[in-house]
Amino acid sequence: MGHDRVREALRVRQGLDPATKPTKVFSDKPDDLPVGPRSKSNAAKQLVSTGQKLDALQETLYAGASHRVLLVLQGMDTSGKGGTIRHACGLVNPQGLHIHSFKKPTRAELRHDFLWRVRRALPGPGMIGVFDRSHYEDVLVARVDELVPEDVWRERYNQINAFEAELTASGTAVVKCFLHISPEEQLNRLAARLQRPEKTWKYNPGDLDARAKWDDYQKAYAEALVRTDSDAAPWYVVPSDHKWYRNWAVSEILLETLQDLDLSYPEPDFDVAAELARLRS
Amino acid sequence: MGHDRVREALRVRQGLDPATKPTKVFSDKPDDLPVGPRSKSNAAKQLVSTGQKLDALQETLYAGASHRVLLVLQGMDTSGKGGTIRHACGLVNPQGLHIHSFKKPTRAELRHDFLWRVRRALPGPGMIGVFDRSHYEDVLVARVDELVPEDVWRERYNQINAFEAELTASGTAVVKCFLHISPEEQLNRLAARLQRPEKTWKYNPGDLDARAKWDDYQKAYAEALVRTDSDAAPWYVVPSDHKWYRNWAVSEILLETLQDLDLSYPEPDFDVAAELARLRS
């Protein structure tokens, strides 16, 4: 251990009652800088050096092909799940990334258990899997929009905990980040999407329907985070009104997670000297 | 068109008889610099500016979600398929990349037609698919190691051409790069893998068996390239003894391919002004 400075600072507050108010769960404001750099330029410098370390560790992870990492990104529309993948996850060799975006379930997916499509999208050995949205939608939008009865989504907390415990037991480091933005910042970002033609494709009129239910979503997020946080599969609350801070924070969380795995290159299962001689003959 | 400077220079020589000697097909030597930068430092500078253009075009490709790109990378062991993915393909948002490595077929895969597993690995709309090895192994190792009778692998040229014609007809730009290295450079790279502990995991004693059949492989590559080159799904021969040249060349080929697609952002299918008003209310 010992690689836990940023993770400790951003870990969702533990021991909270699940019925507690969202403000207690998200105790830092979306524009706070609770740990790390105070300025964009300092964050950019740190991102470069973190990137080099991440890149080296990811190659060791890939070479060993025993551990797996799963980074779950959740957040309201415009919170920057895509931007985080581009700028934080993009620091490593793309060949070692397994990125999966979860959209509204298809009719075929809905006929299965909610974890069915999630299991199919898990990273292979040696890979860093990244989920852009995830099985958490099944306790978020499913709750807010009453897509299933309360007893069904409420039981999913247990199902998710069991699922994630199974993942960690089989060698997957599970890391979950809630990208925390303010409604004011979301307004700015949605407006920017509408005002800049090269961004308009990202806008969906349905985004405003979700925005209208802001408080319901905060409540659903707060309870989900409290109920599914564990030392094995922890939740981090990443203040995300500043994109540079969000990118820096997620890259550090990923780095600390990889450092904790104590990765090393596999021992060759052949005689290196004999192979060198054979090569040169 | 007009975006074809590098592609024209590196395109496999057309109109060659399939029975022609490999040296005619690979008319440039693996350490030639037939087009573009003469030095590593110039190539690095160009790679940065090409990366910015690629990144912007890839976002437009992704936003439009109509075209697809498929980049096929083939080459002898150590020719740098992985390095190309890291340094050339890594210039774009990893979320827009769909990378697939083809290993020795599993028993289940072998029970299907050779293109079965390939179809399953094709990129979705708006994506850049990258194949690290591909269906071409089925006319390369399958031929050299006599895994199937000659009439079977020979018929595969037609099957591959029909398959790729189908892909291009449905809006996929198919680009195929042969990473051309010399046996001397392969020797150096294999030795480096054995001498540097952090590289040894990449070494496989079977690599030397393929190396022992160098001329057979060159012959198989030469005929495959000549028989499956077409304007719709062209082959490029990328001199790859210099890693910096290989990365530069593949990034340029990818850029010229994307430029040719005449991509643009999709028109919004909603009233932008009305949405802005709704957002602000």
Side-chain angles (χ1 to χ4, degrees), chain B residues 86-254:
Chain B
R86 184 178 192 140
H87 298 288
C89 305
L91 296 167
V92 310
N93 185 343
Q95 205 157 15
L97 289 175
H98 181 88
I99 302 167
H100 194 91
S101 291
F102 289 91
K103 312 284 182 199
K104 194 177 156 181
T106 62
R107 203 177 290 196
E109 286 170 345
L110 283 172
R111 294 177 66 191
H112 291 274
D113 172 79
F114 77 106
L115 292 174
W116 178 79
R117 63 175 188 157
V118 180
R119 288 185 187 273
R120 288 162 56 98
L122 289 171
M127 299 292 286
I128 299 177
V130 184
F131 280 179
D132 175 350
R133 303 188 186 271
S134 66
H135 44 297
Y136 283 95
E137 292 298 327
D138 298 289
V139 293
L140 295 165
V141 64
R143 170 183 181 164
V144 172
D145 284 353
E146 299 178 3
L147 304 180
V148 294
E150 174 163 354
D151 60 327
V152 171
W153 59 254
R154 205 162 268 292
E155 179 56 22
R156 287 181 178 166
Y157 296 137
N158 297 326
Q159 292 162 340
I160 288 173
N161 286 332
F163 170 57
E164 293 180 356
E166 179 197 328
L167 294 183
T168 56
S170 67
T172 302
V174 179
V175 193
K176 302 176 290 193
C177 291
F178 172 63
L179 307 183
H180 184 30
I181 55 164
S182 63
E184 297 76 23
E185 180 63 18
Q186 191 193 51
L187 177 77
N188 295 337
R189 294 185 187 179
L190 287 174
R193 288 184 179 180
L194 287 166
Q195 288 164 319
R196 294 173 56 182
E198 81 281 9
K199 289 196 164 200
T200 307
W201 66 277
K202 293 186 183 183
Y203 182 88
N204 179 338
D207 296 350
L208 287 192
D209 305 330
R211 176 172 167 80
K213 300 168 192 162
W214 188 275
D215 291 344
D216 291 341
Y217 270 105
Q218 297 297 305
K219 205 172 129 191
Y221 265 111
E223 187 168 356
L225 266 60
V226 172
R227 289 221 185 255
T228 61
D229 174 72
S230 67
D231 286 340
W235 269 110
Y236 302 100
V237 179
V238 177
S240 298
D241 272 5
H242 298 292
K243 293 176 183 176
W244 58 265
Y245 190 79
R246 174 202 75 204
N247 294 338
W248 170 85
V250 176
S251 72
E252 292 293 326
I253 289 169
L254 203 51

Side-chain angles (χ1 to χ4, degrees), chain A residues 21 42 67 230:
Chain A
K21 285 193 179 153
N42 275 339
H67 294 83
S230 68

Side-chain angles (χ1 to χ4, degrees), chain A residues 55-56 58-59 62-64 81-83 85-86 89-90 93-95 97 99-101 103 132 186-187 190-192 194-195 197-209 211 265-266 268-272 275-276 278-280, chain B residues 55-56 58-59 62-64 81-83 85-86 89-90 93-97 99 101 103 132 186-187 190-192 194-195 197-209 211 265-266 268-272 275-276 278-280:
Chain A
D55 193 45
Q58 180 268 331
E59 183 164 304
Y62 188 84
K81 299 176 288 291
I85 294 175
R86 185 178 192 140
C89 305
N93 185 345
Q95 206 157 15
L97 289 176
I99 302 166
H100 193 89
S101 292
K103 313 283 183 199
D132 175 350
Q186 191 194 50
L187 177 77
L190 287 173
L194 287 166
Q195 287 164 318
E198 80 282 10
K199 289 197 163 197
T200 307
W201 66 277
K202 293 186 182 183
Y203 182 87
N204 179 337
D207 295 351
L208 289 193
D209 304 330
R211 176 173 167 79
Y265 284 102
D269 57 359
F270 50 83
D271 181 338
V272 172
E275 287 299 313
L276 252 178
R278 198 157 78 96
L279 172 63
R280 284 178 171 150
Chain B
D55 192 44
Q58 181 268 332
E59 184 165 303
Y62 188 84
K81 298 176 287 293
I85 294 174
R86 184 178 192 140
C89 305
N93 185 343
Q95 205 157 15
L97 289 175
I99 302 167
S101 291
K103 312 284 182 199
D132 175 350
Q186 191 193 51
L187 177 77
L190 287 174
L194 287 166
Q195 288 164 319
E198 81 281 9
K199 289 196 164 200
T200 307
W201 66 277
K202 293 186 183 183
Y203 182 88
N204 179 338
D207 296 350
L208 287 192
D209 305 330
R211 176 172 167 80
Y265 284 102
D269 57 359
F270 50 84
D271 182 336
V272 172
E275 288 298 315
L276 254 178
R278 198 156 79 95
L279 173 63
R280 285 179 170 149

Side-chain angles (χ1 to χ4, degrees), chain A residues 130-187:
Chain A
V130 184
F131 282 178
D132 175 350
R133 303 188 185 271
S134 67
H135 44 297
Y136 284 96
E137 292 298 327
D138 297 289
V139 292
L140 295 166
V141 64
R143 169 182 180 163
V144 172
D145 285 353
E146 299 179 2
L147 303 179
V148 293
E150 174 164 356
D151 61 326
V152 171
W153 60 253
R154 204 162 270 292
E155 179 56 23
R156 286 180 180 166
Y157 296 137
N158 297 326
Q159 293 162 341
I160 288 173
N161 286 332
F163 169 58
E164 293 180 357
E166 178 196 328
L167 295 182
T168 55
S170 68
T172 303
V174 179
V175 192
K176 302 175 289 192
C177 291
F178 171 63
L179 308 182
H180 184 31
I181 54 165
S182 62
E184 296 75 24
E185 180 63 17
Q186 191 194 50
L187 177 77

Side-chain angles (χ1 to χ4, degrees), chain B residues 32-100:
Chain B
D32 278 353
L33 314 173
V35 59
R38 261 48 209 147
S39 72
K40 192 172 171 175
S41 62
N42 275 339
K45 269 180 230 155
Q46 289 189 33
L47 201 67
V48 172
S49 92
T50 299
Q52 288 162 349
K53 291 177 205 158
L54 265 179
D55 192 44
L57 282 166
Q58 181 268 332
E59 184 165 303
T60 322
L61 176 77
Y62 188 84
S66 52
H67 295 83
R68 306 154 196 241
V69 173
L70 177 63
L71 173 66
V72 171
L73 297 175
Q74 284 286 161
M76 299 295 284
D77 290 319
T78 77
S79 60
K81 298 176 287 293
T84 302
I85 294 174
R86 184 178 192 140
H87 298 288
C89 305
L91 296 167
V92 310
N93 185 343
Q95 205 157 15
L97 289 175
H98 181 88
I99 302 167
H100 194 91

